[in-house]
PDB file of all heavy atoms in Angstrom:
ATOM      1  N   VAL A 297      23.319  24.650 -24.185  1.00  0.00           N
ATOM      2  CA  VAL A 297      23.756  23.809 -23.050  1.00  0.00           C
ATOM      3  C   VAL A 297      22.737  22.692 -22.828  1.00  0.00           C
ATOM      4  O   VAL A 297      21.653  22.702 -23.421  1.00  0.00           O
ATOM      5  CB  VAL A 297      23.900  24.666 -21.771  1.00  0.00           C
ATOM      6  CG1 VAL A 297      25.005  25.694 -21.932  1.00  0.00           C
ATOM      7  CG2 VAL A 297      22.584  25.340 -21.393  1.00  0.00           C
ATOM      8  N   ALA A 298      23.100  21.756 -21.958  1.00  0.00           N
ATOM      9  CA  ALA A 298      22.203  20.622 -21.689  1.00  0.00           C
ATOM     10  C   ALA A 298      20.965  21.085 -20.925  1.00  0.00           C
ATOM     11  O   ALA A 298      20.982  22.134 -20.275  1.00  0.00           O
ATOM     12  CB  ALA A 298      22.965  19.571 -20.880  1.00  0.00           C
ATOM     13  N   VAL A 299      19.928  20.300 -21.005  1.00  0.00           N
ATOM     14  CA  VAL A 299      18.675  20.656 -20.318  1.00  0.00           C
ATOM     15  C   VAL A 299      18.895  20.743 -18.805  1.00  0.00           C
ATOM     16  O   VAL A 299      19.558  19.875 -18.218  1.00  0.00           O
ATOM     17  CB  VAL A 299      17.544  19.643 -20.676  1.00  0.00           C
ATOM     18  CG1 VAL A 299      17.873  18.233 -20.215  1.00  0.00           C
ATOM     19  CG2 VAL A 299      16.198  20.091 -20.110  1.00  0.00           C
ATOM     20  N   PRO A 300      18.402  21.806 -18.156  1.00  0.00           N
ATOM     21  CA  PRO A 300      18.630  21.949 -16.712  1.00  0.00           C
ATOM     22  C   PRO A 300      17.952  20.835 -15.927  1.00  0.00           C
ATOM     23  O   PRO A 300      16.807  20.500 -16.196  1.00  0.00           O
ATOM     24  CB  PRO A 300      17.970  23.303 -16.377  1.00  0.00           C
ATOM     25  CG  PRO A 300      17.689  23.961 -17.680  1.00  0.00           C
ATOM     26  CD  PRO A 300      17.628  22.911 -18.727  1.00  0.00           C
ATOM     27  N   LYS A 301      18.696  20.288 -14.960  1.00  0.00           N
ATOM     28  CA  LYS A 301      18.096  19.224 -14.126  1.00  0.00           C
ATOM     29  C   LYS A 301      17.652  19.786 -12.759  1.00  0.00           C
ATOM     30  O   LYS A 301      16.709  19.316 -12.167  1.00  0.00           O
ATOM     31  CB  LYS A 301      19.121  18.097 -13.919  1.00  0.00           C
ATOM     32  CG  LYS A 301      19.635  17.512 -15.226  1.00  0.00           C
ATOM     33  CD  LYS A 301      19.409  16.045 -15.322  1.00  0.00           C
ATOM     34  CE  LYS A 301      19.765  15.426 -16.659  1.00  0.00           C
ATOM     35  NZ  LYS A 301      20.579  16.176 -17.589  1.00  0.00           N
ATOM     36  N   GLU A 302      18.413  20.780 -12.315  1.00  0.00           N
ATOM     37  CA  GLU A 302      18.092  21.331 -10.988  1.00  0.00           C
ATOM     38  C   GLU A 302      17.289  22.624 -11.141  1.00  0.00           C
ATOM     39  O   GLU A 302      17.300  23.262 -12.189  1.00  0.00           O
ATOM     40  CB  GLU A 302      19.410  21.673 -10.263  1.00  0.00           C
ATOM     41  CG  GLU A 302      20.394  20.516 -10.146  1.00  0.00           C
ATOM     42  CD  GLU A 302      19.802  19.364  -9.348  1.00  0.00           C
ATOM     43  OE1 GLU A 302      18.996  19.641  -8.437  1.00  0.00           O
ATOM     44  OE2 GLU A 302      20.130  18.198  -9.643  1.00  0.00           O
ATOM     45  N   GLU A 303      16.642  23.012 -10.048  1.00  0.00           N
ATOM     46  CA  GLU A 303      15.894  24.268 -10.061  1.00  0.00           C
ATOM     47  C   GLU A 303      16.835  25.469 -10.043  1.00  0.00           C
ATOM     48  O   GLU A 303      17.960  25.386  -9.565  1.00  0.00           O
ATOM     49  CB  GLU A 303      15.017  24.361  -8.803  1.00  0.00           C
ATOM     50  CG  GLU A 303      13.905  23.347  -8.760  1.00  0.00           C
ATOM     51  CD  GLU A 303      13.125  23.429  -7.459  1.00  0.00           C
ATOM     52  OE1 GLU A 303      12.902  24.543  -6.960  1.00  0.00           O
ATOM     53  OE2 GLU A 303      12.749  22.363  -6.948  1.00  0.00           O
ATOM     54  N   SER A 304      16.355  26.603 -10.557  1.00  0.00           N
ATOM     55  CA  SER A 304      17.057  27.898 -10.398  1.00  0.00           C
ATOM     56  C   SER A 304      16.035  28.902  -9.913  1.00  0.00           C
ATOM     57  O   SER A 304      14.826  28.719 -10.148  1.00  0.00           O
ATOM     58  CB  SER A 304      17.589  28.410 -11.725  1.00  0.00           C
ATOM     59  OG  SER A 304      18.437  27.500 -12.328  1.00  0.00           O
ATOM     60  N   SER A 305      16.498  29.982  -9.342  1.00  0.00           N
ATOM     61  CA  SER A 305      15.529  31.003  -8.952  1.00  0.00           C
ATOM     62  C   SER A 305      15.105  31.774 -10.203  1.00  0.00           C
ATOM     63  O   SER A 305      15.863  31.859 -11.183  1.00  0.00           O
ATOM     64  CB  SER A 305      16.144  31.970  -7.936  1.00  0.00           C
ATOM     65  OG  SER A 305      17.061  32.813  -8.601  1.00  0.00           O
ATOM     66  N   LEU A 306      13.908  32.341 -10.171  1.00  0.00           N
ATOM     67  CA  LEU A 306      13.423  33.132 -11.312  1.00  0.00           C
ATOM     68  C   LEU A 306      14.370  34.296 -11.580  1.00  0.00           C
ATOM     69  O   LEU A 306      14.614  34.654 -12.728  1.00  0.00           O
ATOM     70  CB  LEU A 306      12.004  33.618 -11.035  1.00  0.00           C
ATOM     71  CG  LEU A 306      11.363  34.450 -12.155  1.00  0.00           C
ATOM     72  CD1 LEU A 306      11.330  33.689 -13.477  1.00  0.00           C
ATOM     73  CD2 LEU A 306       9.947  34.870 -11.764  1.00  0.00           C
ATOM     74  N   ASN A 307      14.918  34.860 -10.501  1.00  0.00           N
ATOM     75  CA  ASN A 307      15.864  35.969 -10.699  1.00  0.00           C
ATOM     76  C   ASN A 307      17.087  35.542 -11.500  1.00  0.00           C
ATOM     77  O   ASN A 307      17.534  36.267 -12.386  1.00  0.00           O
ATOM     78  CB  ASN A 307      16.317  36.512  -9.341  1.00  0.00           C
ATOM     79  CG  ASN A 307      15.349  37.559  -8.847  1.00  0.00           C
ATOM     80  OD1 ASN A 307      14.869  38.370  -9.633  1.00  0.00           O
ATOM     81  ND2 ASN A 307      15.035  37.512  -7.561  1.00  0.00           N
ATOM     82  N   GLU A 308      17.579  34.352 -11.211  1.00  0.00           N
ATOM     83  CA  GLU A 308      18.740  33.856 -11.967  1.00  0.00           C
ATOM     84  C   GLU A 308      18.384  33.659 -13.435  1.00  0.00           C
ATOM     85  O   GLU A 308      19.142  34.014 -14.325  1.00  0.00           O
ATOM     86  CB  GLU A 308      19.203  32.493 -11.394  1.00  0.00           C
ATOM     87  CG  GLU A 308      20.055  32.592 -10.174  1.00  0.00           C
ATOM     88  CD  GLU A 308      20.284  31.224  -9.541  1.00  0.00           C
ATOM     89  OE1 GLU A 308      19.430  30.307  -9.682  1.00  0.00           O
ATOM     90  OE2 GLU A 308      21.299  31.058  -8.879  1.00  0.00           O
ATOM     91  N   VAL A 309      17.219  33.073 -13.643  1.00  0.00           N
ATOM     92  CA  VAL A 309      16.780  32.808 -15.027  1.00  0.00           C
ATOM     93  C   VAL A 309      16.631  34.142 -15.774  1.00  0.00           C
ATOM     94  O   VAL A 309      17.080  34.284 -16.923  1.00  0.00           O
ATOM     95  CB  VAL A 309      15.440  32.026 -15.043  1.00  0.00           C
ATOM     96  CG1 VAL A 309      14.956  31.815 -16.456  1.00  0.00           C
ATOM     97  CG2 VAL A 309      15.587  30.693 -14.318  1.00  0.00           C
ATOM     98  N   TYR A 310      16.048  35.093 -15.084  1.00  0.00           N
ATOM     99  CA  TYR A 310      15.814  36.394 -15.723  1.00  0.00           C
ATOM    100  C   TYR A 310      17.157  37.087 -16.022  1.00  0.00           C
ATOM    101  O   TYR A 310      17.328  37.706 -17.069  1.00  0.00           O
ATOM    102  CB  TYR A 310      14.920  37.247 -14.818  1.00  0.00           C
ATOM    103  CG  TYR A 310      14.585  38.606 -15.433  1.00  0.00           C
ATOM    104  CD1 TYR A 310      14.038  38.681 -16.715  1.00  0.00           C
ATOM    105  CD2 TYR A 310      14.823  39.789 -14.731  1.00  0.00           C
ATOM    106  CE1 TYR A 310      13.741  39.928 -17.281  1.00  0.00           C
ATOM    107  CE2 TYR A 310      14.522  41.012 -15.291  1.00  0.00           C
ATOM    108  CZ  TYR A 310      13.983  41.078 -16.570  1.00  0.00           C
ATOM    109  OH  TYR A 310      13.693  42.301 -17.127  1.00  0.00           O
ATOM    110  N   ASN A 311      18.083  36.975 -15.114  1.00  0.00           N
ATOM    111  CA  ASN A 311      19.401  37.588 -15.364  1.00  0.00           C
ATOM    112  C   ASN A 311      20.046  36.979 -16.606  1.00  0.00           C
ATOM    113  O   ASN A 311      20.652  37.687 -17.413  1.00  0.00           O
ATOM    114  CB  ASN A 311      20.339  37.369 -14.162  1.00  0.00           C
ATOM    115  CG  ASN A 311      19.915  38.242 -12.990  1.00  0.00           C
ATOM    116  OD1 ASN A 311      19.164  39.207 -13.163  1.00  0.00           O
ATOM    117  ND2 ASN A 311      20.351  37.880 -11.776  1.00  0.00           N
ATOM    118  N   SER A 312      19.882  35.674 -16.762  1.00  0.00           N
ATOM    119  CA  SER A 312      20.457  35.022 -17.917  1.00  0.00           C
ATOM    120  C   SER A 312      19.766  35.504 -19.209  1.00  0.00           C
ATOM    121  O   SER A 312      20.406  35.734 -20.236  1.00  0.00           O
ATOM    122  CB  SER A 312      20.293  33.496 -17.742  1.00  0.00           C
ATOM    123  OG  SER A 312      20.571  32.847 -18.922  1.00  0.00           O
ATOM    124  N   PHE A 313      18.444  35.700 -19.132  1.00  0.00           N
ATOM    125  CA  PHE A 313      17.708  36.260 -20.271  1.00  0.00           C
ATOM    126  C   PHE A 313      18.234  37.654 -20.615  1.00  0.00           C
ATOM    127  O   PHE A 313      18.491  37.989 -21.777  1.00  0.00           O
ATOM    128  CB  PHE A 313      16.204  36.316 -19.932  1.00  0.00           C
ATOM    129  CG  PHE A 313      15.410  37.228 -20.810  1.00  0.00           C
ATOM    130  CD1 PHE A 313      14.990  36.807 -22.067  1.00  0.00           C
ATOM    131  CD2 PHE A 313      15.080  38.524 -20.409  1.00  0.00           C
ATOM    132  CE1 PHE A 313      14.271  37.648 -22.914  1.00  0.00           C
ATOM    133  CE2 PHE A 313      14.367  39.370 -21.240  1.00  0.00           C
ATOM    134  CZ  PHE A 313      13.962  38.937 -22.499  1.00  0.00           C
ATOM    135  N   GLN A 314      18.410  38.453 -19.558  1.00  0.00           N
ATOM    136  CA  GLN A 314      18.871  39.840 -19.819  1.00  0.00           C
ATOM    137  C   GLN A 314      20.245  39.894 -20.464  1.00  0.00           C
ATOM    138  O   GLN A 314      20.553  40.729 -21.276  1.00  0.00           O
ATOM    139  CB  GLN A 314      18.898  40.612 -18.507  1.00  0.00           C
ATOM    140  CG  GLN A 314      17.527  41.074 -18.076  1.00  0.00           C
ATOM    141  CD  GLN A 314      17.610  42.046 -16.939  1.00  0.00           C
ATOM    142  OE1 GLN A 314      18.278  41.767 -15.950  1.00  0.00           O
ATOM    143  NE2 GLN A 314      16.978  43.187 -17.057  1.00  0.00           N
ATOM    144  N   GLN A 315      21.056  38.915 -20.049  1.00  0.00           N
ATOM    145  CA  GLN A 315      22.437  38.896 -20.533  1.00  0.00           C
ATOM    146  C   GLN A 315      22.543  38.287 -21.937  1.00  0.00           C
ATOM    147  O   GLN A 315      23.248  38.797 -22.788  1.00  0.00           O
ATOM    148  CB  GLN A 315      23.265  38.050 -19.569  1.00  0.00           C
ATOM    149  CG  GLN A 315      24.731  38.322 -19.641  1.00  0.00           C
ATOM    150  CD  GLN A 315      25.474  37.452 -18.646  1.00  0.00           C
ATOM    151  OE1 GLN A 315      24.974  37.104 -17.574  1.00  0.00           O
ATOM    152  NE2 GLN A 315      26.685  37.072 -19.006  1.00  0.00           N
ATOM    153  N   ASN A 316      21.817  37.224 -22.170  1.00  0.00           N
ATOM    154  CA  ASN A 316      22.059  36.419 -23.386  1.00  0.00           C
ATOM    155  C   ASN A 316      20.990  36.522 -24.451  1.00  0.00           C
ATOM    156  O   ASN A 316      21.196  36.062 -25.569  1.00  0.00           O
ATOM    157  CB  ASN A 316      22.218  34.944 -23.007  1.00  0.00           C
ATOM    158  CG  ASN A 316      23.424  34.717 -22.137  1.00  0.00           C
ATOM    159  OD1 ASN A 316      24.485  35.283 -22.380  1.00  0.00           O
ATOM    160  ND2 ASN A 316      23.259  33.931 -21.093  1.00  0.00           N
TER     161      ASN A 316
END
Side-chain angles (χ1 to χ4, degrees):
V297 295
V299 62
K301 303 237 174 16
E302 305 299 328
E303 293 176 39
S304 302
S305 74
L306 180 57
N307 273 320
E308 279 171 332
V309 177
Y310 182 53
N311 288 342
S312 167
F313 162 81
Q314 281 191 309
Q315 201 180 329
N316 297 318

